Structure formats: C-alpha cells, structure tokens
C-alpha cells in the first residue's frame, strides 16, 4: 500500500490576502509517519470539525467548486471560521500533484476547531492513491437498510443535530458499515425512523424510475451529494429528467436501478437490498462512470 | 492557563503481561505543544474511538473502576480492542501525579482505532488542572431542553447508533452546548423525540422527588453516569431511595431538585429549565458535593 501524503495548512482567515511568498508557502508537507497533530486537538478528542473527500483523476481534483461550497457550508453550520478558499485551492493542487496521473486517488480536506483552548482552527490535507480496483462499478454491491433513528422532518427543528454538515463525528457511519459487513453486505443505506431513504454512510443514493433519476431531498437532514450533482447535470444533457423528493424506502425495490454515488468510488450499482434483488441498469451505469472518469475538473 | 500534560501509550493487548521494565515504561510524556498524533489518525478524521474523563482530587483519580468499566464497555460496542486495564491504571496514576494536590483536575483517557490502515489502536491521556472556580456547585445553572431526535425505545433495535458508548464523535454534544449558550443558558438536557429525559451533553441528569433520587434508565440509549453511581451509593447510606426509570421531561419541572452530575464539575443544581424556575435543594447539593470532594478514590 502506498503511504498517504499529509500536508498541514497554516490556516488563514477567510478574507486574508495571499502572502508575498504565495499560498503554497502556507502548506507544509509532513514526513511519512510523522506526527503532526497535538493530542488535545478537538478533531481527535471531540470529532469537532468538518471534512471533504475529492476524487483525483489524471492529477486533477474533481468537482472542486461543489466540494468547496459544501466545506464552507459545513463550517458555517458548526460555527467554525470560514475557510479561505484561495488558500485551500492551492493546497489542494499541491496535494493533487502527488497522485500519479495514471492512478485514481482522493484528497481529504480537514478543517477542525483546533487545539483546545487556542481558538485557532487546524487544517490539513491527505492525498491517497486508491488501492481499489473499482470492480464494484460493474459488479455492484449488496446493501442493507439501517434505521438512522431520526424522523425525516426532524432536521429543520433541531439544527444542533448538525443536519447537512459533513462533520468529523463519523463513528455511527463507521459502525453502520461494520453492521452491513456483518450481514454479508458491502454497504448500507440509512432510512429515517418513518421510512424514508436518507443516504449511505459515505455516499448518496440515486435511483432510476423510467426516464427520471431520483435522489432524496436534502432538507431531510442529509448531505447534498457532489457526485450526484455531477450526475444530474449529465442526465439533463442526456435527456433524462431529475428529481429531488421524499423517497419511501419501499420504492427502491421496484426501481429501474439504484446507485450509491461518491467522489472516489463514483457510481456503484446495487444488486440487492436487504436480500431482495433490484434491477441493474448496466448501460446507464457504464455511461455514468465513463462520463465521470472523463471529467478533468 | 496551565498547559494540559499529554502522555502517549504504547497500547498493549488486553491480556499482555506487564513488561519487565513495568507498565510505566509504555507511557511517554509529550513536550508541551508538541504533535503526537498522525494526521491520518481515525480519531481525528472519523471521531472513531472512545474516551473517559476522570476527576482528580488531592492527586487521586476518582471512581476509577466505574470509568474503566465504561471505557471497556464503550470499546466493546465500537469493536475496538479491549483496553489492558493494568496498563491504563499505571498510566492514569502517572498522569494524575501531575495535578497538584491542592488543585482539582481531570484526566481524559482516549482509545482510538488508530492510524488508518494499521489496525493498531492509539491511546493517550491528557491531565488538566481545572481553571473553573466551581461556583456553579452553589450558584447552579440555567439549562434548556433540546430534542435528541431519537425515540426512547430506539436503541435496543439499532446498535449501529452506538447507544451507551462514549465515543469521540461529540460534534452534536458540542453544538448543543453552543445552542444552550445562544439561548442564555449554561447547559442543555437532551430529551427523546417522544418526550423522555435522556442526558446532558457531558453529564447525567438526577432529580429528587420526595425521599427518592431518580435518574433516567440507561437502556434508552444513554451513558451510565459514573458520578451518578457514586451519588446513588451515598444516597443509600443516607436513607434516600434511588430509582432508574423513564422520566417524562415535564417531571423535571415539579421535582424537589434537579442536578447535572459529572466527574469534574460534580453535582450542579439547576435553577431554571427552559425559563421555568425549578426547586433548588441547597442542603442536599452541599452535602453531595462535600461527600464527592471528600472521596480519595
């Protein structure tokens, strides 16, 4: 396995001007395996921060603007300092350049509340070459549905539950993936306590019904999907309709195709949900992944 | 503010024998401000780990066995390696010895899933001298109730939501405290979506009704409180009855006293809940905190 490459950021205020030496001077590459975080970091002791994971193709980070919008939105929900996007853009290019052009990879951006007591955020980036052969893009995944415990209409009344923020507090997401594997599945779909499809622990759910692609509305407390956004833009070009709405879980079973979508794995078709076979649209899957892999920004 | 003191642990397997040089040889004190965690630590990127915070009085960590039980229980729920309690005990004494005997303080124990890809857990301890003057123990707190979004009977059916585990994924707990401050309160009480008292973001709720101390049942997906356990043991000695049961939120308002209990702050009486004055039992509050402060283990 190739080692991930870490860059620490001297986090600049959102409105700070680029220093004379350029933003690159605020980005520090860390020796492999060297510690770079203090043990009192609130990311590590409280999961208190936000992140994004971008796909990298041919050395180019993908869907940058969508990820930057979401990073800034998550930071606002958590009342973290707004990220200086000029700085993060340069840092991201520096990190992206470490992924060989013939490999697929990912960059994680992390913005944490910082070392406890300092009031100063901490920022870093992790560039990773994907070890996955992405056979799942053709072979598909079996998934299980898991109750997320929240009603679909909860989030508008309870902002302290941080709906719509991609926080570092992912212990439940990780536990859901372990539960899926325990049940012989590769992934999970969270369903609201009143039976509506939410999202997967690390990806967005999209289904096809006739000539329409459908994804759950984000106002039920889920993340807007960056890859799903790209796919809906492609679908519009291809003459498919798109829809964001409430999706009762049972609808997934009689759809014309269901996918989990994320930045590095891209569009993975589902073959089974809770042991029930679902229709697989191989043609559209192939077309989607080919188009996503052909992006260079 | 005095700097927290960090100790990193070379985490031993649960059944490992003490090395010839003693467990203390597996504990490494970190220079103030020096980094000791890798940026790919799953605690920092996924909130994936568990923790405990112990109070320290007169140099002695308090309620050690209760905290160790809960640390091991949390680790089991997250499928982390079981902690070697002999090792953690020695590490904790080493950390506790840095708190001056005339000061109150705390020790945080953290057990994380470790650096991504290694399969090896990371462990550390943070010893902190309390800056608080603990006037809240006599003056009390105003609190607000906040919907936790989960039904009281959810947790038994959804272990992937990690009920009963004290995980590092505390972003929602921290957001609840910010929401409380925004509303002019000092703390918050989480209530289930169907109206039962759960817990506070960092403490346990206890109320007095006549000659009985009452706390919410833990099978509704909350943490067993270590300080509440100590208080219930004291109450039994003092001839008070104790009860763990479902507590409808409205009951708090006509109780004979409500407290938030935690390891460092101890028993804080509540003066107002959602703007309604609640009865304050100053005598019992004083007696409780005096007894808790007199403990030496």
């Amino acid at each position: 396995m190739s080692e991930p490459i870490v860059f620490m950021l001297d986090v600049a205020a959102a409105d700070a001007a680029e220093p004379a030496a350029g933003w690159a001077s605020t980005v520090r590459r860390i020796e492999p395996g060297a510690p770079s975080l203090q043990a009192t970091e609130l990311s590590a002791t409280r999961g208190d921060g936000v992140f994004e994971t971008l796909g990298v193709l041919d050395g180019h980070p993908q869907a940058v603007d969508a990820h930057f919008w979401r990073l800034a939105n998550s930071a606002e929900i958590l009342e973290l300092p707004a990220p200086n996007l000029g700085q993060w853009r340069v840092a991201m290019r520096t990190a992206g350049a470490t992924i060989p052009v013939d490999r697929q990879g990912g960059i994680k951006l992390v913005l944490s509340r910082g070392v406890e007591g300092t009031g100063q955020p901490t920022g870093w980036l992790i560039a990773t070459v994907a070890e996955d052969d992405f056979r799942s893009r053709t072979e598909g995944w079996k998934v299980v549905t898991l109750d997320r415990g929240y009603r679909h209409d909860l989030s508008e009344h309870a902002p302290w539950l941080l709906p719509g923020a991609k926080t570092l507090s992912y212990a439940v997401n990780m536990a859901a993936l372990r539960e899926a594997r325990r049940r012989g599945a590769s992934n999970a779909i969270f369903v609201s306590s009143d039976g509506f499809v939410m999202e997967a622990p690390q990806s967005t759910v999209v289904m096809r019904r006739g000539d329409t692609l459908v994804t759950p509305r984000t106002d039920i407390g889920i993340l807007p999907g960056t890859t799903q956004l790209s796919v809906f833009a492609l679908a519009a070009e291809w003459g498919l309709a798109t829809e964001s709405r409430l999706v009762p879980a049972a609808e997934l079973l009689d759809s014309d195709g269901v996918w989990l979508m994320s930045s590095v794995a891209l569009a993975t078709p589902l073959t089974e949900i809770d042991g029930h076979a679902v229709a697989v649209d191989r043609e559209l899957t192939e077309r989607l992944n080919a188009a996503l892999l052909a992006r260079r920004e």
Side-chain angles (χ1 to χ4, degrees), chain A:
Chain A
M1 190 181 126
S2 53
E3 284 280 327
I5 299 179
V6 172
F7 297 87
M8 298 301 298
L9 207 61
D10 297 328
V11 177
D15 58 355
E18 187 167 359
W23 285 124
S25 67
T26 67
V27 183
R28 185 165 43 96
R29 182 168 171 161
I30 302 300
E31 287 299 311
S36 59
L37 303 178
Q38 292 187 43
T40 52
E41 247 289 322
L42 290 164
S43 54
T45 58
R46 298 291 189 192
D48 201 358
V50 299
F51 78 103
E52 284 295 321
T53 304
L54 292 83
V56 178
L57 294 170
D58 195 20
H60 297 274
Q62 302 296 300
V64 171
D65 289 341
H67 284 287
F68 276 3
W69 174 84
R70 200 167 63 179
L71 182 72
N73 189 55
S74 295
E76 190 179 345
I77 294 171
L78 263 76
E79 299 176 59
L80 289 166
N84 184 310
L85 295 184
Q87 180 186 35
W88 283 90
R89 196 176 298 272
V90 168
M92 196 190 49
R93 282 205 204 109
T94 307
T98 67
I99 309 278
V101 291
D102 59 341
R103 300 293 299 275
Q104 296 177 42
I107 303 175
K108 185 174 286 194
L109 315 180
V110 182
L111 176 64
S112 107
R113 205 173 300 277
V115 172
E116 187 161 12
T118 64
Q120 295 301 313
T122 306
W124 70 97
L125 303 91
I126 304 170
T128 311
V129 175
E131 299 297 316
D132 199 319
D133 59 7
F134 299 112
R135 253 189 290 183
S136 57
R137 288 178 194 153
T138 47
E139 293 180 0
W141 279 335
K142 299 176 185 182
V143 304
V144 294
T145 58
L146 296 176
D147 186 354
R148 186 61 188 83
Y150 297 139
R151 281 181 55 92
H152 82 279
D153 54 359
L154 169 73
S155 67
E156 54 193 305
H157 308 297
W160 50 88
L161 300 180
L162 304 174
K166 196 169 173 75
T167 81
L168 299 173
S169 286
Y170 254 42
V172 164
N173 302 52
M174 299 295 105
L177 292 174
R178 288 195 299 275
E179 176 72 17
R181 283 179 207 121
R182 183 176 301 121
R183 299 190 191 182
S186 297
N187 217 310
I189 292 177
F190 283 130
V191 173
S192 71
S193 59
D194 50 349
F196 295 99
V197 177
M198 298 186 76
E199 62 195 345
Q202 303 180 297
S203 43
T204 310
V205 180
V206 173
M207 68 175 174
R208 177 176 190 165
R209 294 185 78 81
D211 284 337
T212 305
L213 293 188
V214 182
T215 197
R217 266 170 32 193
T218 57
D219 65 355
I220 62 173
I222 63 175
L223 294 178
T226 54
T227 307
Q228 169 262 314
L229 272 176
S230 297
V231 163
F232 274 26
L234 288 166
E237 288 176 28
W238 300 343
L240 289 165
T242 62
E243 210 173 29
S244 295
R245 62 166 168 84
L246 287 181
V247 178
E251 254 196 80
L252 295 178
L253 294 178
D254 70 347
S255 70
D256 302 309
V258 191
W259 296 265
L260 297 190
M261 299 193 178
S262 61
S263 295
V264 177
L266 303 178
T268 304
L270 303 189
T271 58
E272 263 185 36
I273 299 177
D274 294 332
H276 303 281
V278 288
V280 177
D281 185 336
R282 298 200 181 279
E283 196 189 321
L284 183 56
T285 303
E286 204 173 307
R287 197 172 174 197
L288 283 172
N289 282 316
L292 291 168
L293 286 166
R295 290 180 303 175
R296 285 298 171 270
E297 61 180 28

